[in-house]
Amino acid sequence: MKTYAVSGSTGHELYESIGANGPRIGGMGVVGTIAHTNFDLKWRRNYQREGNGCRLVSAVPFLTITYTVPKAKDALPAGTAKLWKTFSAGILAHEKMHGRQIRTMADRIYKETVGFFQADDPECRMIREAIQPLLAAASSDQRHEASEFDRVEMSDGGNVHQLILNLVNGGR
């Protein structure tokens, strides 16, 4: 969990501070966002020769998921504190869904690659390339799922949209 500081005494001021201080994502860091989920997935794979081929006999994932979320740096007035608590809990829940999607992708990669056999690969070199389409498909599907989730959540009436409106409009 990483946080970035936001300040203000009203929901509107806090949201403006999110815009000024929130994470920048994208190739050149030009898109501002409220929160962000990032991950680093590495594998320790055990390839073993089997006859004249090679089998991936085991794989151990090393997955680090990092959630970047806003945190009010100062004490808030009681009414704003209540709004902020609801907002920040909802934003974290949204990001945790992205984390579940990432874990699902890692599980899929495990299930689809462990046991994979590459014929005519006694040196266990071709198998590494042969599993790449499986890895690419799992990654592509995860990105699509995350984008679709964000589209729904941030659309008019979506959960994140409602959280923002509630914060900015003081719960009205």
Side-chain angles (χ1 to χ4, degrees), residues 27 34 50 65 67 69 149:
I34 297 169
E50 192 174 292
I65 299 173
Y67 304 105
V69 295
F149 176 65

Side-chain angles (χ1 to χ4, degrees), residues 1-160:
M1 180 83 65
K2 288 177 25 179
T3 61
Y4 64 93
V6 294
S7 59
S9 59
T10 68
H12 189 270
E13 290 171 354
L14 289 166
Y15 190 67
E16 283 182 342
S17 185
I18 287 170
N21 300 302
R24 303 287 184 246
I25 58 174
M28 297 298 292
V30 294
V31 177
T33 187
I34 297 169
H36 185 255
T37 299
N38 201 2
F39 71 96
D40 182 31
L41 176 59
K42 294 180 174 50
W43 294 89
R44 182 175 62 223
R45 293 185 172 103
N46 181 3
Y47 299 96
Q48 291 186 4
R49 182 177 179 168
E50 192 174 292
N52 196 38
C54 182
R55 184 172 305 277
L56 175 56
V57 295
S58 67
V60 178
F62 297 91
L63 177 60
T64 303
I65 299 173
T66 305
Y67 304 105
T68 302
V69 295
K71 181 177 182 180
K73 71 178 184 176
D74 300 316
L76 300 171
T80 304
K82 183 178 178 188
L83 294 170
W84 181 254
K85 182 177 179 182
T86 300
F87 175 80
S88 55
I91 293 300
L92 182 57
H94 173 93
E95 295 306 317
K96 295 269 183 160
M97 176 56 80
H98 285 303
R100 285 190 289 282
Q101 293 167 342
I102 292 163
R103 283 190 293 282
T104 297
M105 175 194 66
D107 290 343
R108 174 181 167 183
I109 289 169
Y110 178 88
K111 290 173 186 168
E112 291 183 2
T113 60
V114 172
F116 189 92
F117 180 78
Q118 179 67 40
D120 301 319
D121 188 18
E123 301 298 319
C124 290
R125 289 189 182 130
M126 294 187 311
I127 192 170
R128 296 165 200 268
E129 188 64 33
I131 66 171
Q132 290 304 309
L134 299 173
L135 306 178
S139 178
S140 176
D141 288 352
Q142 181 273 325
R143 283 191 308 274
H144 176 76
E145 182 181 23
S147 292
E148 184 60 20
F149 176 65
D150 281 343
R151 186 189 66 74
V152 169
E153 288 270 295
M154 294 176 197
S155 66
D156 283 348
N159 186 51
V160 171

